[in-house]
Amino acid sequence: MTTPAITAAAATRPWQLSAEAVALWKRFPPRTNPKSWPATRQSRATVVARLLTPPFLGHDSKTRCNRKLTLLKVLDWLEMQPGSTWQERWNASGAGIDGHVDWRTRLISDLKGVDNLGPRGERIFSILGMGLVQLIGGDVLRPDLGWLMATSSPLRIANEMERVRDGEAIAKLRALRTASTVGDSTVLPAIVKIALIMAAKGGTVVDVTPGDCLELLKTSREVFPGPVKSTRHSPFFYQLLHSLSVFPADAPSSVRMFSTRFPGQLTVDQLIDRYDLACRPVRDLLVNYLRERQPSVDYNTLTGLATALGLWFWKDLEKHHPGIDSLRLAPDVAAAWKRRLQTRTVRTSDEHGQVVETTVERATASDTLMTVRAFYLDLAQWALDEPSRWGPWAVPCPVRADDVQHRKMKSRQKARMDQRTRERLPVLPSLCEAVDRNRKAAAARLEAGGRARPGELFTAEGQTLRRAILKRHSPHLWAEEPATGQRRNLAREESNAFWGWAAIEVLRMTGIRIEELSEISRHSLVQYRLPSTSELVPLLQIAPSKTDEERLLVISPELADVLSAIICRVRTTDGGVPLVIAYDHHAKVWNPPMPLLFQRKIGLEDRPIPIAGIRDLLQDALAATGFTDATGSPLPFAPHDFRRIFTTDAVMNGMPPHIAQVILGHRDINTTMGYKAVYPEEAINGHRAFIARRRELRPSEEYRSPTEEEWEEFLGHFERRKVALGDCGRAYGTSCIHEHSCIRCPLLRADPAQQPRLIEIRDNLIARIAEAEREGWGGEAEGLKVSLAAANAKLAQLDNLIAQRTAAVDLGMPTFADIAVRTTSADPHQL
């Protein structure tokens, strides 16, 4: 399957509320509107009399005149509709069904039909919203929430609600914007959403329930599907209401717990049904298979199995082979699927702007192949225990053992990771200095900008900026570059620089995983008192993550400084660290509130920095340093690179591997050694150290300079190894163990030129054997037969050697004897 097809399939996966969100929805349901209430049952005279008195009157005579005129015209139109209450008449008009259709057109048409437009005629079209907003503010009408969100009229409902319904509470909501980290572009739309809930449900701000907020978010997605402006679906209004202590004490502090972005754990059926498989029997088989595997794996592994089997395997087969309904794949079908799986198409643009498609190897292909192979083998094994259930699906596996080159894949991965470590370890000190320097520079710019007045130039860390003049309130400090006029959020730059620096420092000094970094809390800092000296040793407690094993790390003074800076930044005025609720993206569950260290304020809410956010902070911090690789591209650092660098640096500096294994939390020491990169100079130094240790174990006189007699005796040894049939391969200083019976000796290196002589020896041995057998010399015959077998073996070796030499090329390299003779016989005066 090509990449676009896979992406399209994944994009159709349905989003749904998590189990926690459904439970909270039932616990805090939205309010339901009654069919009738006192204000909507009032007579026309009572409604007009009430809405033409304070606080419904306008500020000037023109506004009061327009509000009265439009109120009367809206009431005239509603009286034309059937119903006993004003709400029933509004519903009967049909104007409140679709907010995208302008209701004013219907009103003008109906009044014009009965000649009741008045002297201003259709010119009142643009101000009709004044009349309707009065009826909504006076709780005479309660339009549907979806209609209120979609309609373009009436406008300024929030202002009307503040004037006539609950001015004190809405004023408090507006005042909260000074304590938030967002600007008016987010706060003001949030107040409008709260006013819409009041308009649709009645009551005041304190009457709004968490269920009303959830209903608004759900309605917003239904009314405005697809990508829209960022503030359209913003849940910031929930933060405003929660900060105002409107909700009950047991209400969730974060509306994110209701968001479909955090779907929670899906059932096995839902995991497979995301891919809309056409073959129902295979779909049921995959569901049953995952249900069998579910008790022995975690949720993250279970979702990986569902994706590999449902999407990459069977969905791909259904796309390219419609109607397929059997796991027994034809050889050509299996081969084509494996080819599609192992490669992917990458589209890039060249220097001319043209799209270029290239085929590259897919890195995850081996994992999927192993998953599919395990699936088939499991079915075959289970079929022995339950033939009726699994037997029909036990078919030959399309993935052979040689298709899954696990060792080759691991070797390539090890080589890539070692190369990454070798490229990044030398620049790590410079990287840390650059990140720290950028952090301090960002803090200096923020401080200097805070002292400057709007429109005034200021200089900090070699940069000259102008403080921006803002038209509306913003909690951030904005500055402009004088040359280009580009605006920069100095507060956000300082925050990103700090957290990027903090993440890099903690990762490089501890070697922990990124998910462990995101889970470090105030409770992770513990102390241990040494029994012998009563010294307190600070420790960092790492919560169980990948291997479900808790471990303790000693906090160095440098790491203590970093953790101290983090705590000083996040703690409140009372000295405590705020409790935040984090979402476990692997287990798809919400963790209980914890004082996590990596957190920051978003709006009015303290939120943990998610794993994806930490990755972005790292990349921004690294991009600001300007480091590049050999090709000139920015040098990327993945969070796991710091873990490999920590391991390599620790082992190279003398840390025993088994201690590094405990610190890193590995179950197998081979995993730890796999993290350690091997340097060429390290191998050379290790070999030289081995030679030095070997020399220490051998007699020292063996490493002195030889005398002339010893050298001559050494060369004579090679000369004395020359025998009739070739050369003797025995080592220097050893005697012949075969008593010079060379024909039987395996150390004899026969000379091809002596092949005729060896043939004569063989023929002679044959004749002597015949003579011994004829004379009855049994012992002599047995010994000669041993020599005959050795002679035949030597002849066979000569035949192979001659055949090789005929096909070989002579390089003209001198032999050792030639080099040694020339070295010893050379005249010193000729050198």
Side-chain angles (χ1 to χ4, degrees):
M1 182 179 290
T2 58
T3 301
I6 288 291
T7 305
T12 61
R13 302 174 187 173
W15 287 102
Q16 64 179 26
L17 290 175
S18 63
E20 296 93 335
V22 173
L24 290 173
W25 187 294
K26 295 179 180 179
R27 188 175 171 187
F28 303 100
R31 292 177 292 167
T32 58
N33 270 331
K35 294 182 178 180
S36 177
W37 57 92
T40 194
R41 292 193 298 266
Q42 293 176 346
S43 65
R44 175 183 176 123
T46 304
V47 170
V48 172
R50 184 167 67 93
L51 297 185
L52 293 183
T53 57
F56 297 96
L57 289 178
H59 299 292
D60 53 72
S61 59
K62 181 179 179 181
T63 302
R64 289 194 292 268
C65 179
N66 288 336
R67 289 172 69 90
K68 179 179 180 181
L69 173 63
T70 54
L71 172 64
L72 297 176
K73 289 303 176 183
V74 173
L75 292 176
D76 290 342
W77 174 61
L78 290 176
E79 284 184 326
M80 297 173 59
Q81 315 301 327
S84 59
T85 64
W86 297 109
Q87 183 65 30
E88 291 179 356
R89 297 183 182 112
W90 168 260
N91 294 335
S93 69
I97 297 177
D98 187 1
H100 297 287
V101 178
D102 199 329
W103 62 279
R104 295 172 295 182
T105 304
R106 173 77 179 275
L107 184 149
I108 294 292
S109 176
D110 290 347
L111 293 181
K112 188 175 181 181
V114 296
D115 195 21
N116 193 20
L117 276 180
R120 297 179 63 175
E122 298 183 6
R123 288 178 296 173
I124 64 172
F125 178 88
S126 60
I127 62 174
L128 281 174
M130 289 185 176
L132 186 59
V133 80
Q134 290 179 83
L135 294 174
I136 295 174
D139 202 24
V140 177
L141 297 180
R142 294 179 184 178
D144 291 337
L145 189 58
W147 184 88
L148 288 170
M149 299 182 69
T151 186
S152 58
S153 174
L155 300 174
R156 296 176 292 276
I157 289 183
N159 296 336
E160 186 73 11
M161 291 295 177
E162 186 174 7
R163 286 191 332 110
V164 305
R165 184 77 66 89
D166 197 353
E168 182 180 356
I170 295 181
K172 291 181 179 179
L173 293 175
R174 295 185 185 276
L176 285 176
R177 63 182 180 175
T178 58
S180 68
T181 60
V182 296
D184 286 354
S185 60
T186 301
V187 175
L188 298 182
I191 297 177
V192 171
K193 292 178 181 178
I194 297 174
L196 293 181
I197 295 177
M198 296 166 57
K201 301 289 185 178
T204 60
V205 173
V206 296
D207 297 320
V208 178
T209 66
D212 295 338
C213 300
L214 302 182
E215 185 180 22
L216 184 142
L217 291 174
K218 180 176 179 293
T219 305
S220 177
R221 292 287 180 180
E222 295 173 351
V223 175
F224 303 103
V228 293
K229 59 183 181 180
S230 59
T231 58
R232 178 73 73 182
H233 305 315
S234 172
F236 182 70
F237 69 97
Y238 187 95
Q239 295 184 28
L240 285 176
L241 294 172
H242 193 278
S243 299
L244 204 61
S245 300
V246 171
F247 298 144
D250 56 347
S253 60
S254 175
V255 75
R256 297 182 303 135
M257 297 184 68
F258 302 99
S259 175
T260 55
R261 295 176 55 191
F262 309 98
Q265 292 189 358
L266 304 180
T267 64
V268 172
D269 299 77
Q270 292 170 340
L271 289 174
I272 294 298
D273 290 340
R274 292 180 300 175
Y275 308 117
D276 192 22
L277 303 182
C279 182
R280 187 70 183 184
V282 174
R283 177 262 177 199
D284 295 339
L285 171 67
L286 295 179
V287 170
N288 293 333
Y289 175 78
L290 293 180
R291 193 170 285 121
E292 289 288 328
R293 294 289 309 275
Q294 188 174 10
S296 60
V297 299
D298 56 18
Y299 182 77
N300 192 36
T301 304
L302 187 68
T303 56
L305 291 175
T307 302
L309 298 176
L311 178 63
W312 295 104
F313 175 57
W314 193 252
K315 188 65 177 180
D316 178 81
L317 291 174
E318 287 188 346
K319 174 178 174 58
H320 293 86
H321 307 280
I324 186 172
D325 58 356
S326 175
L327 294 181
R328 187 184 294 272
L329 304 183
D332 57 336
V333 174
W337 167 71
K338 285 184 281 189
R339 284 195 302 269
R340 293 191 300 270
L341 179 66
Q342 291 171 347
T343 59
R344 62 186 179 93
T345 301
V346 177
R347 294 177 176 87
T348 57
S349 300
D350 57 11
E351 61 274 8
H352 303 292
Q354 298 179 350
V355 178
V356 180
E357 294 186 355
T358 56
T359 301
V360 298
E361 184 178 356
R362 194 186 302 273
T364 59
S366 297
D367 295 334
T368 304
L369 289 175
M370 286 189 290
T371 301
V372 174
R373 178 173 172 81
F375 168 63
Y376 274 84
L377 297 182
D378 285 342
L379 294 180
Q381 180 65 32
W382 297 348
L384 299 177
D385 300 329
E386 300 181 69
S388 60
R389 183 181 181 186
W390 307 106
W393 301 103
V395 296
C397 179
V399 182
R400 299 186 301 272
D402 54 355
D403 290 335
V404 185
Q405 300 179 356
H406 187 71
R407 180 175 298 179
K408 184 177 181 181
M409 179 189 66
K410 289 296 183 182
S411 177
R412 290 182 177 179
Q413 182 182 9
K414 170 67 173 172
R416 290 196 305 268
M417 295 303 101
D418 285 358
Q419 183 61 28
R420 287 181 64 93
T421 303
R422 286 191 288 266
E423 289 178 352
R424 287 155 180 77
L425 181 57
V427 303
L428 184 60
S430 301
L431 171 66
C432 296
E433 293 178 2
V435 171
D436 187 34
R437 186 168 56 251
N438 292 340
R439 172 184 68 95
K440 295 178 180 178
R445 288 193 296 268
L446 179 63
E447 182 181 0
R451 294 193 300 264
R453 295 187 298 271
E456 182 181 357
L457 293 174
F458 63 92
T459 301
E461 298 297 324
Q463 293 188 12
T464 301
L465 302 172
R466 179 187 295 109
R467 181 165 180 176
I469 301 176
L470 304 179
K471 296 182 179 179
R472 57 171 55 182
H473 166 74
S474 175
H476 299 297
L477 196 154
W478 292 85
E480 300 174 348
E481 296 183 0
T484 62
Q486 181 180 359
R487 284 195 172 184
R488 295 168 55 178
N489 188 339
L490 298 185
R492 180 171 298 177
E493 287 183 4
E494 189 277 335
S495 176
N496 292 346
F498 174 84
W499 288 114
W501 165 80
I504 290 175
E505 290 295 320
V506 175
L507 286 175
R508 78 173 183 89
M509 286 191 284
T510 60
I512 60 178
R513 304 178 180 92
I514 187 172
E515 57 268 20
E516 296 170 343
L517 174 73
S518 65
E519 295 175 357
I520 294 178
S521 70
R522 181 64 180 85
H523 302 318
S524 300
L525 306 178
V526 296
Q527 293 179 345
Y528 174 72
R529 187 178 298 275
L530 295 177
S532 57
T533 61
S534 298
E535 180 185 359
L536 286 178
V537 179
L539 300 175
L540 181 64
Q541 186 178 23
I542 304 300
S545 59
K546 187 175 181 179
T547 58
D548 292 333
E549 293 181 1
E550 190 178 53
R551 61 189 192 275
L552 294 171
L553 306 180
V554 177
I555 298 179
S556 63
E558 296 80 6
L559 179 59
D561 292 340
V562 176
L563 296 177
S564 176
I566 295 175
I567 293 176
C568 292
R569 187 179 184 91
V570 301
R571 66 184 177 185
T572 57
T573 54
D574 59 357
V577 177
L579 299 179
V580 294
I581 302 176
Y583 183 73
D584 191 334
H585 287 272
H586 295 292
K588 298 295 186 293
V589 294
W590 288 96
N591 295 325
M594 296 180 62
L596 300 179
L597 296 188
F598 278 79
Q599 61 167 282
R600 56 181 175 180
K601 187 174 290 294
I602 304 296
L604 293 171
E605 180 184 357
D606 294 308
R607 290 187 186 178
I609 304 177
I611 293 177
I614 295 177
R615 294 182 187 274
D616 293 339
L617 291 172
L618 285 176
Q619 295 306 318
D620 293 342
L622 295 169
T625 60
F627 287 99
T628 58
D629 56 15
T631 62
S633 303
L635 183 63
F637 267 80
H640 224 62
D641 287 330
F642 295 99
R643 185 170 171 85
R644 297 187 182 92
I645 291 174
F646 174 85
T647 307
T648 301
D649 185 66
V651 175
M652 288 181 61
N653 285 279
M655 178 180 290
H658 65 283
I659 301 298
Q661 174 191 355
V662 175
I663 293 177
L664 295 174
H666 289 152
R667 293 179 178 175
D668 188 0
I669 195 171
N670 292 322
T671 305
T672 305
M673 297 309 298
Y675 275 51
K676 177 187 173 296
V678 178
Y679 287 79
E681 61 176 306
E682 183 182 2
I684 295 173
N685 294 336
H687 189 200
R688 295 178 63 184
F690 165 74
I691 295 175
R693 290 194 302 269
R694 187 183 63 181
R695 286 181 174 178
E696 292 177 358
L697 299 177
R698 295 181 66 88
S700 59
E701 60 269 11
E702 293 186 4
Y703 298 97
R704 57 181 173 79
S705 300
T707 61
E708 292 293 335
E709 293 77 9
E710 291 174 337
W711 184 249
E712 291 294 340
E713 196 277 334
F714 173 74
L715 296 179
H717 160 77
F718 295 98
E719 295 178 355
R720 289 189 295 273
R721 290 198 311 179
K722 186 67 176 176
V723 294
L725 296 176
D727 294 322
C728 179
R730 59 189 174 90
Y732 171 71
T734 61
S735 59
C736 180
I737 61 176
H738 291 90
E739 299 179 355
H740 303 286
S741 179
C742 298
I743 194 64
R744 299 184 180 183
C745 184
L747 296 178
L748 173 64
R749 299 171 183 171
D751 187 358
Q754 300 299 325
Q755 186 180 29
R757 183 182 182 89
L758 191 56
I759 293 176
E760 292 180 2
I761 294 175
R762 182 196 62 184
D763 295 342
N764 181 263
L765 288 172
I766 295 174
R768 293 176 61 188
I769 292 173
E771 179 185 6
E773 291 176 347
R774 186 173 59 253
E775 297 294 336
W777 303 331
E780 182 75 12
E782 290 298 326
L784 293 174
K785 287 180 181 179
V786 174
S787 299
L788 178 62
N792 289 329
K794 291 293 188 293
L795 285 173
Q797 294 176 2
L798 285 178
D799 293 338
N800 293 334
L801 182 60
I802 293 172
Q804 292 177 1
R805 287 191 175 182
T806 56
V809 177
D810 184 14
L811 298 179
M813 297 180 65
T815 62
F816 176 79
D818 296 335
I819 298 176
V821 170
R822 284 198 298 269
T823 303
T824 56
S825 60
D827 186 355
H829 300 288
Q830 296 178 358
L831 297 178

